[in-house]
Amino acid sequence: MKTGWWALAAATLSGGPALARAPSAPGPVQTVRWVCEAVYQPSRAVWPRTVELAHDAQRVTAVRIDGQAVYTFLVEGTTVFTSQDNERIQFDTAALSWRSDFRGLAQSQGRCEPTD
């Protein structure tokens, strides 16, 4: 069964940096998904971006952007930091926001909505 985005945000807020540690007794892994409408500057192009976070009761275990797994990520507070194809990405589960920078040539930001 999937949980809502609010459960992940609550776990992130309560766990903070502890989410980066290995769990003592991992629970079942659940996945939550958001769709973000990122506006890229300077072109003002709008790209829908999907973010999937797999998590157990104590930490985020995997991150997928647009269906592709990322190799590394960092969870700090409610924000997930990662990168993909030279784009540095920040996704905030509490503020439901997306921010990214593509090699300094383009930046984006946008709002995100949870999906079922």
Side-chain angles (χ1 to χ4, degrees):
M1 174 163 67
K2 293 184 179 183
T3 61
W5 61 267
W6 57 91
L8 179 61
T12 303
L13 283 171
S14 65
L19 291 173
R21 292 190 300 244
S24 56
V29 175
Q30 300 175 345
T31 302
V32 289
R33 181 179 174 175
W34 295 266
V35 174
C36 304
E37 294 293 324
V39 179
Y40 283 80
Q41 298 294 341
S43 68
R44 297 187 201 160
V46 178
W47 290 8
R49 306 298 302 264
T50 60
V51 178
E52 293 179 26
L53 301 180
H55 65 95
D56 59 26
Q58 297 181 359
R59 66 186 180 108
V60 175
T61 59
V63 176
R64 294 175 69 87
I65 304 291
D66 297 334
Q68 299 295 315
V70 299
Y71 291 106
T72 61
F73 61 90
L74 169 71
V75 177
E76 188 173 296
T78 61
T79 304
V80 177
F81 297 89
T82 190
S83 64
Q84 186 178 56
D85 298 332
N86 293 313
E87 183 177 15
R88 293 181 303 269
I89 299 165
Q90 299 175 22
F91 172 67
D92 190 324
T93 61
L96 295 177
S97 66
W98 166 285
R99 295 179 67 91
S100 71
D101 180 82
F102 184 72
R103 292 190 242 170
L105 301 174
Q107 296 79 33
S108 74
Q109 61 182 4
R111 297 283 302 155
C112 303
E113 296 292 328
T115 63
D116 292 330

